[in-house]
Amino acid sequence: MQRPASLATLLGFRRPALPASLSRSLSCAQDVLRRTPLYDFHLAHGGRMVAFAGWSLPVQYRDSHVDSHLHTRRHCSLFDVSHMLQTKIFGCDRVKLMESLVVGDIAELKPNQGTLSLFTNEAGGILDDLIVTNTSEGYLYVVSNAGCWDKDLALMQDKVRELQSRGSDVSLEVVDNALLALQGPAAAQVLQAGVAEDLKKLPFMTSAVMEVFGVSGCRVTRCGYTGEDGVEVCQISVPVAGAVHVAMALLQNPEVKLAGLAARDSLRLEAGLCLYGNDIDEHTTPVEGSLSWTLGKRRRVTMDFPGATVIVPQLKGKVERRRVGLMCEGAPMRAHSLILCTEGTVIGTAEMWIHSSAFPLPSPAAQ
């Protein structure tokens, strides 16, 4: 398929539909899919299971997609995101390893502070987006996409072996935890009932290890993927044995409902957030993807990350295409439809769309 001239996330249409980013996954075979620790829990609660990135996950529950989306914005929803790759990077050279692969300034992170960053290749393309946290326990905690699990793990493991062969002190461990995302205006209030720590002292993009509803060893992070403002987002990495217990405890609060992949996708679309493989890929640079802000200031000067010689000049120059968000009226536009200027010239391609009448924006759409 020909690569589009530009990438556009389109917001503002009338009729609901299953997000295009999920439609490809629904046709996958179910027989060899991985299961999260909450698989039986999802079935017991009416989850409609589908194939997604090699995993069997709920696309929605008994509530409609629209109802689930709106409940998240107005109250609080619980998402199972255990399919995402969680890793720990240990050793004195852990920052050296991570900065050899990503565009962000990992060295500047304070204890328990995290940042969104990007794996890039030598051509400047994005291999994946990820969150890196500099924990106070002496390791980097990394969360990346399930769709890139094998690629990301191989990338990091290869770099570990390369640095180890040169005498560097670094190692990698895959975290076998469940991962829950509690998102919506009531998220912090709901979670506060199950932790002793004051969540008001845990600002956006920071995390801490704490006991959650009696389950020890949980890492709570104030970040998420639905466009909430940080106060309304809590991501919980839970030891497998306690995952169902924590999920059940959260559901005891009437503010909380379960939500699936469909709502998660429309929520991130509404906020203008990227989905790897759909809005950005290895042929998209951070500048083209409107993700220049992920490049650390120091890294722009040192230019010591993969693809720096391509990416950094783009910051001050011009690019032929760029991901943008558009608000539209009228009949719904389908994915991959051509975008024309008033003179009729093709200026881009619609990658995704969402209807505004069913999903009213809480604030102006993000770029």
Side-chain angles (χ1 to χ4, degrees):
M1 183 178 294
Q2 184 177 2
R3 188 157 55 98
S6 69
L7 300 178
T9 298
L10 300 186
L11 309 177
F13 299 96
R14 296 177 178 175
R15 189 177 60 190
L18 189 66
S21 56
L22 300 182
S23 61
R24 294 187 298 271
S25 303
L26 301 186
S27 62
C28 298
Q30 291 271 355
D31 54 350
V32 293
L33 299 177
R34 300 175 183 176
R35 296 179 177 181
T36 77
L38 293 170
Y39 178 81
D40 292 332
F41 171 86
H42 296 313
L43 294 180
H45 287 80
R48 176 189 165 199
M49 309 303 287
V50 300
F52 181 77
W55 294 78
S56 182
L57 294 167
V59 67
Q60 66 184 75
Y61 294 85
R62 295 184 179 96
D63 290 338
S64 72
H65 171 197
V66 173
D67 288 343
S68 185
H69 178 113
L70 295 177
H71 181 85
T72 306
R73 286 286 184 239
R74 296 167 180 169
H75 302 281
C76 181
S77 293
L78 180 63
F79 300 82
D80 179 12
V81 292
S82 304
H83 56 302
M84 300 186 76
L85 174 61
Q86 302 176 71
T87 53
K88 294 179 180 179
I89 311 295
F90 297 92
C92 297
D93 296 310
R94 59 188 181 276
V95 172
K96 176 182 178 181
L97 177 138
M98 191 53 57
E99 290 199 346
S100 70
L101 299 173
V102 303
V103 302
D105 191 341
I106 309 305
E108 75 168 359
L109 294 177
K110 299 176 182 178
N112 290 325
Q113 182 183 15
T115 185
L116 176 72
S117 196
L118 307 169
F119 288 131
T120 49
N121 58 29
E122 293 300 334
I126 301 171
L127 296 174
D128 198 10
D129 55 297
L130 63 153
I131 292 178
V132 183
T133 301
N134 177 31
T135 74
S136 59
E137 291 77 24
Y139 59 84
L140 299 178
Y141 171 59
V142 181
V143 179
S144 56
N145 289 306
C148 299
W149 178 298
D150 294 335
K151 179 177 69 173
D152 291 352
L153 186 57
L155 180 70
M156 291 186 285
Q157 288 176 331
D158 287 347
K159 184 58 68 170
V160 166
R161 286 190 288 267
E162 177 186 328
L163 292 181
Q164 286 178 340
S165 69
R166 299 176 183 175
S168 295
D169 175 25
V170 64
S171 61
L172 179 148
E173 172 188 313
V174 176
V175 180
D176 187 28
N177 276 7
L179 192 62
L180 305 176
L182 186 66
Q183 309 206 10
Q189 175 188 345
V190 169
L191 184 58
Q192 187 63 73
V195 302
E197 290 78 358
D198 185 357
L199 294 179
K200 293 179 181 178
K201 297 181 179 179
L202 196 66
F204 182 56
M205 293 305 291
T206 62
S207 75
V209 175
M210 61 185 71
E211 184 177 289
V212 179
F213 290 105
V215 178
S216 60
C218 297
R219 176 170 292 280
V220 175
T221 305
R222 298 300 287 270
C223 70
Y225 190 52
T226 60
E228 309 296 347
D229 66 4
V231 177
E232 304 174 355
V233 177
C234 298
Q235 189 167 276
I236 314 162
S237 181
V238 190
V240 169
V244 172
H245 172 80
V246 170
M248 289 296 292
L250 291 169
L251 282 180
Q252 294 302 308
N253 192 307
E255 289 282 338
V256 183
K257 287 188 176 183
L258 292 169
L261 294 168
R264 185 168 168 80
D265 199 69
S266 59
L267 287 160
R268 70 95 189 168
L269 267 173
E270 183 180 65
L273 302 178
C274 293
L275 174 63
Y276 188 81
N278 197 92
D279 309 300
I280 54 174
D281 56 28
E282 63 183 12
H283 302 295
T284 311
T285 70
V287 178
E288 292 172 331
S290 296
L291 294 169
S292 301
W293 57 271
T294 62
L295 276 67
K297 293 181 180 179
R298 174 178 60 85
R299 308 300 305 281
R300 300 181 188 201
V301 176
T302 58
M303 295 183 63
D304 55 354
F305 57 86
T309 56
V310 175
I311 298 168
V312 173
Q314 288 183 344
L315 293 171
K316 295 182 178 180
K318 293 183 178 181
V319 291
E320 294 184 358
R321 63 193 188 113
R322 188 185 297 269
R323 182 183 66 92
V324 298
L326 303 175
M327 297 290 291
C328 301
E329 297 178 353
M333 179 180 291
R334 300 302 180 183
H336 311 302
S337 297
L338 297 179
I339 302 173
L340 310 180
C341 67
T342 54
E343 289 76 24
T345 303
V346 175
I347 59 172
T349 303
E351 287 300 304
M352 291 293 292
W353 63 270
I354 180 174
H355 55 97
S356 61
S357 59
F359 304 137
L361 292 170
S363 59
Q367 284 290 322

